[in-house]
Each structure stands twice: as C-alpha cells, then as structure tokens.
Amino acid sequence: TAETVDLEKLSRDALLALRLPLPAPKSIEEDKNFLPKPLQGKLRKRDTHNFFPRSEKRLKDMGVKSGKHSKPNEKFAKKAEEEGQSNGGIEKGDTEVAPATMRERKKVDFSNKLYLSPLTTVGNLPYRRICKTYGADITCGEMAMATNILQGQASEWALLRRHPSEDLFGVQIAGSYPDTIARASELISRELDVDFIDINMGCPIDLLCNKGGGAALLQRPRKI
C-alpha cells in the first residue's frame, strides 16, 4: 500500500498505477508568458509598424490583403519610417525576428502521449498543474482570440501563461481572418515560450462561428 512504500523511490509509472500525484519539480521557477507592459502599450496603440515581418511576407506571397482591424496606426508608421526604425526590435538587414532556439526547433511528438486538450473556462493554469501531477504529458492553454491578443488585452494573454511543470505546452488561438491568425502566431512564437500553436477549427459557439471562426472555418477551406 501507499502507507508502507517509500513514495520518493517510486517511479512515475508506479505512482500513476497507485493513483498518486506526481511530485512537483524540485526547482520551481516563476510562471512564464506574461505580457510585458511596454509590449502591451505598443499593441494597444497599434504601434506595430514592421512588427510582423514574417507574417507580412507570407501574406503578401499568398495574395492576402490585410483588414483594417490589423493595420498599424498610421501616425506611428509614419514616425517609424521617418526615423528609420522598426518597432519589432529588428534592425535593418536582419532576416529573422529572433535567432532560432532549440525550443523553437523542437518537434513535438504526440504519439503515445496523454494530451490535455484545450478546455475553455476549465483548462486554466491551476487545473493543468493538477493534471500534470496525474500523468498528463502534453498540455494546452484555453482558447484565446487572436484579435484580443493583438490588442494587448491582459485577460487574453493570461490564457497563454505557462507553469514550469508543463514541459510540453501549447496554446490555442481562434480567429476568422488569415492576417490576424498569422500575426498573432508570429507574436506568440517570438514573445512567449510555447512548443506549438493550435488553430481552433471546431468550436461551435455562435459568438465565434457567426464571425467565420471556429467550426465555421471548416466550411471555408480556402481560408484554411
């Protein structure tokens, strides 16, 4: 029984077989993926001229026009052009947003893994921490709206937070416009520590589907 066994010596599989929680990591760092105040200010002001170079190039190659909802504030765009600066922190001549890291290059293997799927209003960080102690291999944050992320809404960025115990962690974003999805994905991959980004194409709620997102995307394969 659990009372007569030295739990510290049991393996992960043995603890799960006894339906006991896994021990927390010995070195607990602070939670990750917070929204920095300077970045939030830029997003709220739409001070995002040259902020999404990868997205802009890909959208241009695909012939996708940007909607008015994602265009940068012209005042800041003009100022940046006059000063010859880029708000994205990219110097002239650079071809990458940031140097590739091992985490960015790591391929997530989902085979034979216990995956905790995105659960809106349920799958928050405390819930995912509990699931990790009971054997979840891969966790994913709650659905976050791409437009709200690009607007710097703190409540939406809170859905992207990551606990150190989540060794394989992804986020799910939802939207109905290719440009907002692309820009939100680039922003997340550059600013946050995530292993993958999932695009919601199955949510049936009217609030999302009536705008062409979620499950409605399946009816518009060209957008996908």
Side-chain angles (χ1 to χ4, degrees):
T1 63
E3 291 76 15
T4 60
V5 176
D6 188 351
L7 299 181
E8 293 184 358
K9 296 181 179 180
L10 290 180
S11 66
R12 178 180 185 277
D13 292 338
L15 288 171
L16 293 176
L18 291 171
R19 300 198 175 194
L20 296 173
L22 299 176
K26 293 183 179 180
S27 59
I28 296 293
E29 305 171 7
E30 294 184 356
D31 295 347
K32 303 177 181 180
N33 298 352
F34 286 94
L35 174 61
K37 288 294 183 181
L39 175 60
Q40 184 181 38
K42 286 182 176 293
L43 293 174
R44 286 183 171 179
K45 296 175 183 177
R46 290 192 293 126
D47 183 7
T48 54
H49 178 66
N50 288 344
F51 209 73
F52 307 102
R54 290 180 178 177
S55 300
E56 298 294 349
K57 183 178 184 305
R58 183 60 59 88
L59 292 168
K60 183 178 180 180
D61 293 343
M62 296 174 63
V64 177
K65 295 182 179 180
S66 299
K68 62 180 181 179
H69 48 275
S70 58
K71 288 184 178 180
N73 189 313
E74 294 183 359
K75 178 181 69 173
F76 294 106
K78 184 177 180 180
K79 180 180 178 181
E81 288 178 351
E82 291 175 351
E83 297 177 355
Q85 297 177 345
S86 165
N87 291 335
I90 306 165
E91 298 297 332
K92 285 187 174 181
D94 285 353
T95 57
E96 298 291 336
V97 175
T101 64
M102 291 300 293
R103 176 166 291 277
E104 289 171 339
R105 292 194 298 265
K106 182 172 63 176
K107 183 178 180 180
V108 179
D109 182 11
F110 287 88
S111 60
N112 300 317
K113 297 288 196 308
L114 186 58
Y115 174 49
L116 179 63
S117 61
L119 300 168
T120 301
T121 71
V122 177
N124 53 30
L125 189 143
Y127 176 81
R128 298 196 308 271
R129 287 185 62 182
I130 294 173
C131 291
K132 282 296 294 184
T133 64
Y134 281 97
D137 297 306
I138 304 174
T139 54
C140 189
E142 300 176 70
M143 178 182 71
M145 299 300 298
T147 51
N148 295 345
I149 292 172
L150 294 175
Q151 291 170 2
Q153 294 188 17
S155 58
E156 212 72 18
W157 278 74
L159 303 176
L160 311 177
R161 284 177 55 189
R162 175 181 191 167
H163 189 262
S165 64
E166 298 180 279
D167 47 347
L168 285 174
F169 172 75
V171 297
Q172 185 187 78
I173 60 176
S176 53
Y177 301 101
D179 53 331
T180 54
I181 289 289
R183 291 186 177 92
S185 297
E186 180 175 353
L187 182 63
I188 290 170
S189 64
R190 186 175 69 224
E191 301 291 340
L192 304 183
D193 184 7
V194 299
D195 296 298
F196 62 92
I197 298 175
D198 179 80
I199 308 298
N200 185 300
M201 299 184 192
C203 183
I205 62 173
D206 292 340
L207 181 64
L208 186 58
C209 289
N210 289 343
K211 296 180 180 179
L217 280 174
L218 299 178
Q219 298 177 333
R220 309 176 76 177
R222 290 189 62 184
K223 270 197 171 184
I224 298 175

